Amino acid sequence: MPIVVDIDVMLARRKMSVGELADRVGITPANLAVLKNGRARAVRFATLAALCEVLACQPGDLLRWEAEGVAGG
């Protein structure tokens, strides 16, 4: 999929665990794992906004487009 999710990068920068982020955003750790591992087919704007608020970042810090067939971004 050409949309890459970089939640791991922001978690590392903020020194935050997946469990803590899920709790603060109000989603289950399992749903956050689906999103962060790139298996989600959609994300609600409310969830994206909550992630950005908790991580103090912009949506572009979490999501990026990568052309098909391009490795390593």
Side-chain angles (χ1 to χ4, degrees):
M1 177 181 284
I3 300 298
V4 178
V5 182
D6 288 326
I7 290 176
D8 283 337
V9 173
M10 292 307 297
L11 283 172
R13 287 182 183 165
R14 302 298 186 254
K15 296 180 173 64
M16 188 180 298
S17 70
V18 172
E20 180 183 354
L21 179 60
D23 186 52
R24 291 178 62 183
V25 169
I27 62 176
T28 66
N31 283 341
L32 182 57
V34 167
L35 179 59
K36 104 180 171 61
N37 293 325
R39 294 189 316 261
R41 302 297 291 166
V43 61
R44 293 175 187 226
F45 282 153
T47 301
L48 183 58
L51 287 166
C52 289
E53 182 177 355
V54 170
L55 293 170
C57 67
Q58 294 295 313
D61 296 325
L62 302 177
L63 303 172
R64 62 185 162 89
W65 177 82
E66 190 172 274
E68 293 283 342
V70 175

